[in-house]
Amino acid sequence: MSKMNVDIGDEKLTTCGRGADAGPEVTVYVARETELGGGLTIRRALPTAKRRMIGAWCFLDHFGPMDLEDNKGMDVAPHPHIGLQTVTWLTEGEVLHRDSIGSEQIIRPGQLNVMTSGRGISHSEESPTERTDPNLHGLQFWVALPEGERERDPDFEHHADLPTLTHDSLEMTVMVGESMGERSPATMYSEMMGVDVAARDVGERTLDLRTGWEHGVLVIEGALEVDGTRIEPGKLAYLGTKRDRVRLANDAPARFILLGGAPFEEEIMMWWNFVARTPDEIERARRDWQERAAYFGDVSRYRGSRLDAPSWRQRPVKRSARDDD
Ligand code: MN
């Protein structure tokens, strides 16, 4: 697996891809905690030092739970993306999405937002001023677009009605891809899946996995034993590509996300809000955003100014066999 870290200004350039490995054993990765502003704590389970992707999933943020009585909530000013899709899913609260192609959408628990940046989009995400729920708890994941799709037109989808199923008392919602014969309507560009699983009853079950795909389990409430390894929020269990099933046990109600996908064969670079292939592409996207290039558009109804890109000061590239975030 080829990896490289470059410290560039305030942001680290992360190279990832071509990284599926690890056999049937469970590998646990600890999320990094960071703050998004407004008191909103994020646990970032991907990318981390030793695990960059699971299939095309390249970025896993878990935010909250938080009480908005004491906090401002989410307020992410307009910012650009290239080369990716954002997948937003809430378990509590509401988020207002606005983007440069004219979308304006409140998302609520059980619904899915999928924004495809293609060659360029900008958006804002904020807690609505009039709220029906004082809490906020959810996920934002990113999906790398494969080479043939990353220059496509930007797009936004809101799915209020996703397929659900019950398996061995697990209540499952298919966010992305297919699971047990149920298929999500969300448009994706790689072979992949993502399922929200609520385990209200205690017990032990087995879920089938697709051999040859990577899989991961991210716990968002409670705790779960994944083939005997206990994980809780802030930990990602990585399952490699050689499995056809996983054993899950919980001794109290739990909720988790099962992710999977065909190993992503292209090497990608992530910096700030960009997924690209070369430092030149990232530098160009950064400059275009700062110079208000038309293709990033405008989030006109957001009250406030847009985000500036961090500074770009490329330092010597450090290559290592081992990661050292
Ligand atoms: Mn964004």
Side-chain angles (χ1 to χ4, degrees):
M1 181 176 181
S2 158
K3 295 167 187 163
M4 160 177 94
N5 291 329
V6 190
D7 287 319
I8 297 158
D10 305 312
E11 290 282 318
K12 179 167 286 186
L13 178 67
T14 303
T15 307
C16 21
R18 300 180 188 152
D21 47 43
E25 75 273 15
V26 175
T27 311
V28 176
Y29 298 103
V30 179
R32 287 176 293 156
E33 282 205 9
T34 179
E35 248 203 50
L36 197 64
L40 188 59
T41 299
I42 303 277
R43 297 186 185 95
R44 184 158 298 159
L46 284 182
T48 55
K50 299 216 166 65
R51 173 56 41 199
R52 304 304 200 190
M53 301 179 80
I54 296 176
W57 297 107
C58 62
F59 181 99
L60 308 181
D61 264 3
H62 174 200
F63 51 86
M66 72 183 293
D67 185 340
L68 300 186
E69 300 295 318
D70 308 320
N71 295 284
K72 193 158 147 273
M74 184 180 285
D75 185 9
V76 185
H79 60 278
H81 288 287
I82 63 168
L84 58 79
Q85 294 179 287
T86 63
V87 174
T88 309
W89 174 255
L90 301 181
T91 62
E92 293 177 87
E94 300 143 286
V95 170
L96 170 62
H97 162 97
R98 289 184 172 119
D99 64 40
S100 55
I101 56 171
S103 318
E104 178 161 336
Q105 181 67 54
I106 289 181
I107 182 174
R108 298 195 166 89
Q111 306 175 345
L112 190 78
N113 279 359
V114 177
M115 184 182 78
T116 302
S117 77
R119 63 179 174 273
I121 198 169
S122 56
H123 73 146
S124 62
E125 294 162 292
E126 54 193 315
S127 296
T129 43
E130 286 178 29
R131 301 192 273 263
T132 58
D133 187 336
N135 300 307
L136 180 62
H137 188 199
L139 306 167
Q140 185 170 94
F141 295 169
W142 293 358
V143 177
L145 288 171
E147 182 62 32
E149 306 288 353
R150 64 194 187 98
E151 294 295 322
R152 61 184 307 110
D153 290 342
D155 188 36
F156 175 79
E157 293 178 357
H158 174 75
H159 297 286
D161 202 11
L162 293 171
T164 58
L165 59 103
T166 304
H167 170 79
D168 216 350
S169 87
L170 299 175
E171 294 163 35
M172 304 170 63
T173 306
V174 185
M175 304 186 299
V176 163
E178 185 266 335
S179 183
M180 296 184 203
E182 298 288 342
R183 176 161 277 280
S184 163
T187 306
M188 310 304 288
Y189 299 96
S190 295
E191 288 292 309
M192 58 191 301
M193 56 90 78
V195 180
D196 175 285
V197 187
R200 291 201 175 79
D201 297 343
V202 302
E204 184 176 315
R205 304 92 167 168
T206 299
L207 289 183
D208 289 340
L209 302 177
R210 184 163 158 177
T211 306
W213 279 21
E214 300 176 274
H215 292 89
V217 176
L218 185 71
V219 174
I220 55 175
E221 288 174 28
L224 190 68
E225 283 196 7
V226 180
D227 267 0
T229 300
R230 188 176 177 88
I231 60 169
E232 58 270 334
K235 289 183 179 163
L236 170 70
Y238 176 74
L239 302 172
T241 57
K242 298 187 176 72
R243 287 169 169 272
D244 60 5
R245 74 193 68 169
V246 63
R247 188 167 44 86
L248 302 169
N250 60 307
D251 52 19
R255 190 159 177 177
F256 61 94
I257 307 293
L258 174 67
L259 300 166
F264 198 77
E265 298 297 340
E266 299 166 48
E267 191 168 272
I268 63 169
M269 286 185 179
M270 295 176 65
W271 182 83
W272 195 41
N273 295 303
F274 304 139
V275 172
R277 299 295 183 273
T278 66
D280 283 353
E281 278 180 43
I282 289 171
E283 189 170 10
R284 185 172 65 238
R286 180 196 178 278
R287 188 177 58 237
D288 287 348
W289 172 249
Q290 293 300 105
E291 294 176 357
R292 296 179 175 265
Y295 71 89
F296 282 126
D298 200 22
V299 188
S300 52
R301 299 191 63 189
Y302 179 83
R303 290 161 192 258
S305 51
R306 57 191 223 155
L307 290 181
D308 269 330
S311 63
W312 172 266
R313 291 177 285 113
Q314 189 164 354
R315 295 178 186 144
V317 173
K318 181 171 62 186
R319 288 175 190 276
S320 66
R322 177 174 65 73
D323 281 305
D324 49 0
D325 263 13

